Amino acid sequence: YGGKIRGTYLDSTEILDEVLTGEDGTDILEVRINNISYVILESMMKGSDYGMTHDEYDALMADIYLWRAAMTHSQSDYQQAIADYNKAIALDPNAADVYNNRGNAYRDQGNYQQGIGDYNKAIALNPNFALAYYNRGVAYKLLGNIRQADADFAKAKELGI
């Protein structure tokens, strides 16, 4: 989630805040998640032709939670971001990018060891995940483990960062 659509990062998150909040202050994304869930579950229960399989539904919901986690993370709401990353992981436990992103939330929260654990999981799922090596290197550097940080930065560079 780069956040740099136009203007500054802060500008783009402020625009998304406006888009995601109704005039009465309701969380539009939460309402949409609930509505999408209801429609999809209803179509699955009816066995309609436009219904989704359970796997397709889980993938959609994982993406929705991942998107909301990215938004709340960008607003420094690490607890909500981690909760949403957890929901996405529960739906898709083999998604290396979600572990990487949750690792970033833990790291940004100051929980470097938990972040490193998530980066390790992301790398175990995808050994060529350059960004996970880079992010783990940042966490190691913040912990003062410069030797391990340098090794991860070198691996990230070798993989294309």
Side-chain angles (χ1 to χ4, degrees):
Y1 67 93
K4 293 189 177 186
I5 299 167
R6 287 195 179 97
T8 67
Y9 180 75
L10 184 58
D11 290 340
S12 62
T13 57
E14 287 174 358
I15 291 167
L16 285 168
D17 280 349
E18 291 174 20
V19 170
L20 295 176
T21 305
E23 290 180 15
D24 62 353
T26 58
D27 181 346
I28 293 173
L29 181 59
E30 186 69 36
V31 170
R32 287 190 178 164
I33 288 172
N34 291 336
N35 289 341
I36 290 169
S37 299
Y38 178 78
V39 169
I40 291 170
L41 286 173
E42 184 179 62
S43 69
M44 286 169 52
M45 289 175 14
K46 290 180 180 177
S48 66
D49 291 337
Y50 62 89
M52 292 183 161
T53 67
H54 288 287
D55 288 344
E56 291 169 332
Y57 172 78
D58 286 351
L60 173 65
M61 291 308 297
D63 285 345
I64 290 170
Y65 285 121
L66 180 59
W67 187 67
R68 185 171 70 176
M71 292 307 309
T72 55
H73 186 176
S74 73
Q75 297 167 342
S76 302
D77 185 353
Y78 304 122
Q79 284 186 286
Q80 181 61 54
I82 290 167
D84 284 334
Y85 288 131
N86 290 341
K87 290 175 185 176
I89 287 169
L91 292 166
D92 187 0
N94 295 314
D97 61 321
V98 182
Y99 286 100
N100 179 69
N101 291 346
R102 188 176 70 178
N104 289 341
Y106 281 129
R107 184 194 67 211
D108 293 346
Q109 192 179 49
N111 294 324
Y112 306 128
Q113 291 296 343
Q114 284 184 284
I116 289 168
D118 275 352
Y119 301 135
N120 289 341
K121 180 67 175 177
I123 291 165
L125 289 168
N126 179 359
N128 295 317
F129 195 174
L131 189 56
Y133 284 101
Y134 177 82
N135 287 329
R136 189 174 69 178
V138 171
Y140 278 129
K141 184 174 182 181
L142 290 167
L143 285 171
N145 188 341
I146 303 304
R147 186 175 52 83
Q148 186 61 50
D150 287 345
D152 280 345
F153 292 146
K155 182 66 174 180
K157 184 176 180 181
E158 174 189 320
L159 291 171
I161 285 188

